[in-house]
Amino acid sequence: MNVRILCVSALVMLLSCERNALNHGPDKVKSLQGTWLLITGTTIQKNDTTHTDYQKGQRMIKIINDTHFAFLNHDLNHGKDSTSAMYVAGGGRYTLTGDQYTEHLEYCNFREWEDKTFHFTVTLKSDTLVQRGIEKIEETGIDREIIETYIRLHSDSVTHQ
């Protein structure tokens, strides 16, 4: 009888520890920290779905530390082609509770995006991060769902193009 109680107690403790580590512990935040390369994005607005391959003609990275995030996106033609010249940057604070990731955008070259908060659900599997949520800015008419897939960059995988 005592062995059964001990086994049940151990199982309950193991399950509660694993749940807390996955959903609320500092390991979850640390696992998001690093530099991420955006590889694909899907935008769903009303009945229109757009898929973007971020490996063609542009490069975007997201950098996440323990309190802040930043993103940088630019064309690979160094701004010399007027049809594809582009540079987008922004950043701010974030919070993470379980799989709920919230960005508080404090800085952005599109100034109407500043001081906005965006809520996402994140999924992390190995070195792949998927971020899904709603971008809504009433004054600009933006109201869309985005799904972004990133891969973790390691110091030996950084390339310049």
Side-chain angles (χ1 to χ4, degrees), residues 13 27 81 100 111 123 127 140-141:
M13 286 177 28
D27 290 340
D81 179 354
Q100 298 303 299
R111 304 308 287 265
T123 306
D127 282 345
T140 63

Side-chain angles (χ1 to χ4, degrees), residues 27-49:
D27 290 340
K28 181 76 172 188
V29 172
K30 285 185 180 180
S31 65
L32 281 182
Q33 291 180 16
T35 303
W36 298 90
L37 177 67
L38 181 60
I39 54 173
T40 61
T42 301
T43 302
I44 304 164
Q45 189 164 351
K46 296 183 182 174
N47 293 326
D48 188 25
T49 301

Side-chain angles (χ1 to χ4, degrees), residues 85-107:
M86 177 228 347
Y87 181 79
V88 180
R93 295 170 292 110
Y94 76 91
T95 59
L96 178 67
T97 304
D99 64 354
Q100 298 303 299
Y101 171 74
T102 302
E103 293 182 344
H104 309 283
L105 191 60
E106 298 173 59
Y107 312 97

Side-chain angles (χ1 to χ4, degrees), residues 43-91:
T43 302
I44 304 164
Q45 189 164 351
K46 296 183 182 174
N47 293 326
D48 188 25
T49 301
T50 304
H51 301 282
T52 303
D53 180 352
Y54 284 91
Q55 299 295 302
K56 294 183 179 176
Q58 61 183 309
R59 186 78 66 227
M60 179 172 161
I61 61 170
K62 179 177 276 195
I63 302 166
I64 301 173
N65 68 21
D66 58 339
T67 59
H68 287 76
F69 73 97
F71 58 87
L72 306 160
N73 187 356
H74 67 99
D75 66 273
L76 297 179
N77 292 321
H78 304 282
K80 295 177 183 165
D81 179 354
S82 63
T83 63
S84 66
M86 177 228 347
Y87 181 79
V88 180

Side-chain angles (χ1 to χ4, degrees), residues 89-161:
R93 295 170 292 110
Y94 76 91
T95 59
L96 178 67
T97 304
D99 64 354
Q100 298 303 299
Y101 171 74
T102 302
E103 293 182 344
H104 309 283
L105 191 60
E106 298 173 59
Y107 312 97
C108 188
N109 64 303
F110 292 110
R111 304 308 287 265
E112 63 273 12
W113 287 68
E114 289 184 341
D115 299 317
K116 305 294 185 229
T117 299
F118 302 95
H119 303 281
F120 303 98
T121 299
V122 291
T123 306
L124 182 61
K125 291 184 182 176
S126 187
D127 282 345
T128 302
L129 170 66
V130 177
Q131 178 177 318
R132 180 182 198 135
I134 303 296
E135 291 180 331
K136 185 172 185 173
I137 304 174
E138 290 182 24
E139 56 270 24
T140 63
I142 293 172
D143 186 1
R144 59 191 176 203
E145 180 179 9
I146 63 165
I147 305 162
E148 297 176 332
T149 302
Y150 296 85
I151 57 172
R152 185 185 302 275
L153 288 179
H154 300 278
S155 60
D156 59 348
S157 66
V158 176
T159 60
H160 300 279
Q161 293 185 355

